[in-house]
Amino acid sequence: MPATRPPLKILLASPRGFCAGVERAIQIVERSIEKYGAPVYVRHEIVHNRHVVERLKAIGAVFVEALDECPVDRPVIFSAHGVPKAVPAEARDRKMIYLDATCPLVSKVHVEAERHYAAGRQIVLIGHRGHPEVIGTIGQLPEGAVVLVETVEDALTFTPADPDKLAFVTQTTLSVDDTAAIVAALRQRFPAMAAPHREDICYATTNRQEAVKQLASQCDRLLVVGSPTSSNSLRLVEVALRSGADEARLVDDAADVDWDWLSGARVLGVTAGASAPEILVEGLIAAIGERFALTIEEISPMRETVAFKLPRALAG
């Protein structure tokens, strides 16, 4: 460590970190362990953050990828990303206690897709293949009812069953700008395509991307705190680079930082994905403060007031 710490200004994005859907999902696991005792099973990572998952494991959560890994006499929780309809149906058949931690904004997309399907429309889902939210949304409807579109090229080349009977929905954690370009390409080809009543990309994803846009051009480096499996965290890195940050990287926590990469930096942007706890941001800033003389400015602090209720079985 240098005897004299070089100066570094940190621009702290706001809002950052946990969203209401993530907070609700974590509370569902915590309250379930309190109510039912350990172990409580969770199908898939409850949210895509390693630190959150490890903390919940330590208090009695067991994470699995399939329902058949769960004993019938213990509760199982479905992750915030949502699950195909077949999953709760299987849990009912096995007479399991199950709790659904699907984010209400993801559930809204499921309802929209079902409504459009009932109206005779083919569903175009804009999203990333293999992401659990996409798997869950596709799994709300019969096989073949949903077509996945990942890129503008996909939008320009896919062939619908009936171009006059189309509707689109989107994954909630996408890049706002990328999605707008895909929607524009679809609308150009299919002007009658039905749209969501309200934007599917969730408020938290949009707000965190906008916060990064505000500060990116002022930074020569930018760090996003989040796990590599987190779609919304990865999108923040992309948004930062497109919005003028010289360089941007994703870090799980302070231990991930490449200090040589920060050498020579004068202004560092810091944000966190919607599944990353604030304690990781605090730890990152503390670690940076050991090596640099810091000044910290929070950019356009914004308070989010969205909150979601817990399932009735855990309320009160």
Side-chain angles (χ1 to χ4, degrees):
M1 190 181 299
T4 304
R5 293 174 298 163
L8 180 66
K9 183 174 185 176
I10 288 181
L11 299 182
L12 202 50
S14 178
R16 64 184 174 276
F18 278 179
C19 63
V22 164
E23 288 181 344
R24 174 180 180 268
I26 293 169
Q27 284 180 3
I28 287 172
V29 178
E30 292 169 340
R31 294 274 189 98
S32 296
I33 292 168
E34 288 172 13
K35 178 171 179 173
Y36 301 106
V40 165
Y41 287 75
V42 185
R43 186 188 179 279
H44 193 68
E45 292 185 348
I46 187 69
V47 298
H48 283 158
N49 185 272
R50 178 174 64 85
H51 294 272
V52 170
V53 168
E54 292 299 326
R55 183 180 70 79
L56 294 174
K57 279 182 181 177
I59 63 171
V62 177
F63 291 88
V64 298
E65 286 302 317
L67 214 53
D68 60 14
E69 298 175 62
C70 306
V72 294
D73 61 344
R74 297 306 303 161
V76 61
I77 298 167
F78 305 144
S79 80
H81 314 96
V83 294
K85 273 191 172 177
V87 175
E90 181 186 346
R92 286 191 295 271
D93 288 345
R94 294 177 66 192
K95 297 181 169 52
M96 300 175 75
I97 296 172
Y98 68 88
L99 298 108
D100 191 354
T102 302
C103 173
L105 298 178
V106 174
S107 297
K108 177 181 78 75
V109 176
H110 294 177
V111 170
E112 284 174 351
E114 289 183 286
R115 178 174 58 83
H116 287 305
Y117 178 73
R121 299 184 181 106
Q122 185 178 20
I123 311 302
V124 176
L125 170 59
I126 302 170
H128 296 299
R129 187 178 305 280
H131 189 279
E133 183 184 330
V134 166
I135 293 168
T137 300
I138 291 172
Q140 300 306 303
L141 296 172
E143 190 171 348
V146 180
V147 175
L148 182 64
V149 166
E150 296 187 84
T151 63
V152 169
E153 184 181 2
D154 289 347
L156 294 173
T157 55
F158 102 96
T159 304
D162 183 341
D164 295 320
K165 291 185 177 179
L166 280 177
F168 79 88
V169 295
T170 83
Q171 185 179 332
T172 61
T173 56
L174 299 177
S175 157
V176 173
D177 296 335
D178 284 352
T179 305
I182 293 169
V183 170
L186 288 168
R187 284 194 183 284
Q188 187 172 12
R189 292 186 66 202
F190 313 112
M193 182 179 63
H197 285 314
R198 293 183 61 188
E199 179 66 66
D200 281 343
I201 296 176
C202 85
Y203 78 94
T205 298
T206 302
N207 289 349
R208 281 149 191 71
Q209 289 180 16
E210 286 301 319
V212 164
K213 287 178 183 179
Q214 283 191 41
L215 59 81
S217 63
Q218 304 171 57
C219 304
D220 29 60
R221 309 281 192 284
L222 190 142
L223 288 173
V224 177
V225 179
S227 290
T229 50
S230 167
S231 172
N232 76 85
S233 300
L234 293 168
R235 301 295 82 75
L236 289 174
V237 174
E238 295 169 359
V239 168
L241 292 169
R242 288 182 190 171
S243 301
D246 291 344
E247 297 184 62
R249 288 187 178 180
L250 182 71
V251 292
D252 223 342
D253 55 26
D256 269 358
V257 177
D258 177 351
W259 298 108
D260 290 339
W261 179 75
L262 270 184
S263 178
R266 293 165 303 170
V267 182
L268 172 69
V270 173
T271 189
S275 49
E278 182 65 11
I279 193 170
L280 298 180
V281 176
E282 293 167 358
L284 173 67
I285 291 172
I288 296 169
E290 293 176 0
R291 295 163 173 82
F292 294 86
L294 296 183
T295 56
I296 300 173
E297 179 184 349
E298 190 165 27
I299 302 297
S300 301
M302 173 184 171
R303 185 168 135 74
E304 291 175 332
T305 57
V306 176
F308 297 129
K309 292 180 180 177
L310 294 175
R312 192 173 300 164
L314 300 175

